[in-house]
Amino acid sequence: MRLATVAHAAGTSAAVLQGDLWRALPAADLSALLATTSPARAADLAGEVLDGAVPVQPLPRPGKVICCGLNYADHITETGRDLPAYPTLFAKYADTLTGPGDDLVMPQGLQVDWEAELAVVVGTPLRHADRAAALDGIAGYTVANDISVRDWQYRTLQWFQGKTWDATTPVGPVIVTPDELDPAAGVDVICRINGQEVQRDTTRTLVFDAADLLAYISTFTVLRPGDLVLTGTPGGIGAARKPQWFLADGDVVETEIPGIGTLRNTLRLES
């Protein structure tokens, strides 16, 4: 099942895709829907057809956005580190997120880099969850790109200031429920810059998979429906290349996970 927050003539709505048609669900967006409804009920709650519906940022109000860094073996190797015993985590804010086709508007003079990622959407409250409970608590999966400002990220040992620039982490276009997508079996995570492929790996090579991450995080903080967990990026980032490669004004970043969809975002530098 494919769920989304869609824009249409009358505003926005949570929606479920049935055939080629988006049908309204009883909430203004998926954040509101997941707060009150199990995603498994979406098909039964489908209402009117939403003509001209276009998927937008699916989760406008996540309570928590938690990200895992250094989670693909090849990416860890390219940064010169050893495989971790525990997940390397950092947080974002809801303000950091943006839509699947939105421009990334940033100041000039920054080292802007790409990080294609699988993101996990929480569907039930999780606290002290074991792996089985964490797996059962997944509402679905979506695509994200943890666009990073490297010169700010590496100012200190803490990455926070390079990861939380407003409206720079595109998410979407849809959320695919676990009955249709199994990252443990392997899905490709792909990034292209102006049509040139720069990242591709399979989620089979994650050091910590989705259930591992949710169980680990729920040990120290509660996860609630609509929270978002980014699982890390494969090798191929611009900062690790020789010479380094950072995004320029007008560059188009495409982030694709087959079975979910593609983000297409253009960097626009402020004059």
Side-chain angles (χ1 to χ4, degrees):
M1 186 162 48
R2 291 171 174 265
L3 306 173
T5 298
V6 299
H8 55 94
T12 66
S13 177
V16 57
L17 189 64
Q18 294 187 338
D20 295 329
L21 301 174
W22 286 106
R23 292 187 176 273
L25 295 171
D29 53 58
L30 287 183
S31 289
L33 183 81
L34 292 173
T36 58
T37 306
S38 166
R41 296 189 59 216
D44 297 331
L45 297 172
E48 65 178 330
V49 172
L50 298 171
D51 292 329
V54 176
V56 294
Q57 208 280 82
L59 296 163
R61 291 177 307 283
K64 292 184 173 80
V65 182
I66 299 177
C67 308
C68 183
L70 305 174
N71 201 20
Y72 285 84
D74 61 344
H75 179 45
I76 296 168
T77 299
E78 75 178 358
T79 62
R81 296 175 170 89
D82 296 326
L83 292 182
Y86 304 102
T88 300
L89 301 176
F90 58 93
K92 291 181 179 281
Y93 298 115
D95 289 337
T96 315
L97 306 182
T98 194
D102 293 344
D103 287 347
L104 309 172
V105 181
M106 305 186 73
Q108 297 192 43
L110 300 175
Q111 295 179 343
V112 184
D113 205 349
W114 54 85
E115 293 195 6
E117 309 208 10
L118 173 77
V120 187
V121 182
V122 178
T124 59
L126 295 173
R127 186 75 168 106
H128 301 298
D130 60 17
R131 179 179 168 83
L135 196 61
D136 287 343
I138 295 173
Y141 303 96
T142 191
V143 186
N145 198 309
D146 175 24
I147 298 293
S148 301
V149 181
R150 299 298 186 197
D151 46 331
W152 279 66
Q153 178 181 345
Y154 298 140
R155 286 182 171 187
T156 70
L157 295 177
Q158 301 297 321
W159 299 349
F160 175 77
Q161 66 266 29
K163 297 286 192 173
T164 53
W165 291 63
D166 287 348
T168 58
T169 302
V171 176
V174 302
I175 293 170
V176 176
T177 51
D179 57 306
E180 292 194 8
L181 191 83
D182 179 13
V187 294
D188 286 345
V189 177
I190 305 160
C191 184
R192 293 181 291 269
I193 307 300
N194 301 326
Q196 178 180 338
E197 186 174 296
V198 292
Q199 289 182 293
R200 181 187 288 263
D201 207 337
T202 171
T203 53
R204 284 195 307 272
T205 69
L206 285 169
V207 179
F208 306 101
D209 69 8
D212 291 333
L213 290 174
L214 267 58
Y216 183 80
I217 292 166
S218 78
T219 305
F220 61 84
T221 187
V222 63
L223 291 170
R224 295 186 172 88
D227 286 350
L228 196 64
V229 175
L230 277 64
T231 60
T233 197
I237 61 169
R241 293 170 178 265
K242 298 185 186 303
Q244 291 183 322
W245 175 8
F246 297 112
L247 296 174
D249 186 44
D251 282 350
V252 177
V253 182
E254 291 180 299
T255 316
E256 179 184 3
I257 298 179
I260 303 178
T262 302
L263 313 173
R264 191 175 190 277
N265 306 93
T266 302
L267 181 66
R268 303 293 186 193
L269 297 181
E270 297 169 332
S271 57

